[in-house]
Amino acid sequence: MSDLTKRTAIDVAASAAGGTVGPTVTALMATAAAVTHNPDLVALSVPAGALADAMTEQGILLVTRTLLNPAERVGQFADAVNEEAAEPIEDFIDKHVTSAREREFLGRVVDAATAAQSDWKTRVLARAFVRGAIDGDLIDETEMFIAATRNIEVPHARFLAAAHKIFTGPDPKGARTATTTQGVLEVDKRIGPSAVLLWRDLRDQGFLKEAELRDRGTATYKMTDLGFVVCWWLAKLGTDLDEPRASLADESPERPAASGG
């Protein structure tokens, strides 16, 4: 790789970074970095000098774009807040993010947005942020919801929605207290072969737990209090999941009662 080619690659990488990350996104990520003490959130450009001798132009561009992923996600979050709040995020922040506690709240939501893997998750975070920022009394519980669902994406939410329908009805025999992956698939076939992996992941995150009884050697499980509360939050925020979302949205807006699970 000649010096001229390396210089061109570096210039292209720098241009890509500068053209993608606007001042609003930079400010949001800097806020998140200050709150979470994670300086990586403000690393928005490639250390081109260190990479140039070892990488091709395409390699530099690949790493540049990879490093820009968090910034792009924060940009999508900002756009989603614009839509949810019906005003530019800068104006919304100016009105509703005025105290140290509210700035910490913003920083933690932005940090979560950098890890969002889907538009659905970004919208959920934007709705949670707008709701919590408008009603300051909801900030603490909104933060707990965001922390609890950091690793939740569309497949997890769809699985929880299907399981929630089983555990709350309607069912001719009444709501069930336990189910299996086959039972969940009967509610939502789109979950597919990943059902076993999803239920184990949700169990490890505390949303489901194994029941004492087993159905012919198949793992039988029920929903924990945390699972019910998260389903309530997702329904309250409106999660844009197709059929599962509709079934959850039909539930009572009252908070779920603790079941001892």
Side-chain angles (χ1 to χ4, degrees):
M1 193 177 194
S2 69
D3 290 342
L4 177 60
T5 302
K6 282 188 272 188
R7 185 69 260 163
T8 301
I10 293 169
D11 288 344
V12 170
S15 175
T20 300
V21 183
T24 298
V25 170
T26 300
L28 290 172
M29 295 192 75
T31 299
V35 170
T36 62
H37 306 291
N38 182 5
D40 292 343
L41 292 173
V42 291
L44 301 179
S45 61
V46 174
L51 293 174
D53 290 333
M55 300 184 71
T56 63
E57 176 181 353
Q58 291 83 359
I60 291 175
L61 288 173
L62 174 63
V63 176
T64 301
R65 289 164 181 161
T66 301
L67 289 176
L68 285 171
N69 284 346
E72 291 174 354
R73 290 169 184 158
V74 174
Q76 292 166 356
F77 168 77
D79 291 340
V81 172
N82 292 344
E83 182 177 346
E84 294 299 324
E87 63 179 328
I89 188 172
E90 297 90 344
D91 295 341
F92 182 81
I93 289 173
D94 187 54
K95 293 176 184 176
H96 300 287
V97 183
T98 58
S99 68
R101 181 69 188 88
E102 291 161 346
R103 287 189 289 272
E104 289 179 1
F105 173 53
L106 171 61
R108 296 190 197 285
V109 181
V110 171
D111 178 55
T114 65
Q117 299 294 318
S118 64
D119 291 341
W120 171 85
K121 183 62 175 291
T122 300
R123 287 194 300 273
V124 167
L125 291 171
R127 291 172 186 175
F129 167 66
V130 170
R131 185 169 180 260
I134 290 176
D135 186 346
D137 292 338
L138 294 175
I139 285 180
D140 287 340
E141 64 175 290
T142 302
E143 275 199 12
M144 287 188 282
F145 164 75
I146 289 170
T149 58
R150 187 176 180 90
N151 297 319
I152 291 293
E153 288 289 346
V154 171
H156 301 94
R158 180 165 283 140
F159 192 102
L160 278 176
H164 186 270
K165 185 174 181 179
I166 292 172
F167 296 134
T168 58
D171 186 299
K173 298 180 181 180
R176 297 173 58 185
T177 58
T179 190
T180 64
T181 52
Q182 183 58 41
V184 172
L185 285 172
E186 289 173 2
V187 176
D188 188 351
K189 293 181 174 60
R190 295 168 302 173
I191 295 171
S194 63
V196 173
L197 298 175
L198 286 169
W199 107 252
R200 290 178 178 174
D201 197 11
L202 290 165
R203 175 199 60 188
D204 293 345
Q205 294 187 56
F207 302 113
L208 300 171
K209 68 177 182 180
E210 291 191 58
E212 294 181 1
L213 300 177
R214 302 181 73 84
D215 183 6
R216 297 180 182 177
T218 301
T220 303
Y221 46 89
K222 56 185 178 180
M223 188 170 286
T224 65
D225 287 343
L226 177 61
F228 280 112
V229 169
V230 165
C231 284
W232 179 86
W233 266 89
L234 293 176
K236 192 73 172 178
L237 292 173
T239 59
D240 293 335
L241 293 174
D242 300 329
E243 294 174 9
R245 173 179 180 262
S247 67
L248 279 177
D250 290 340
E251 298 297 330
S252 168
E254 297 299 323
R255 291 175 183 275
S259 63

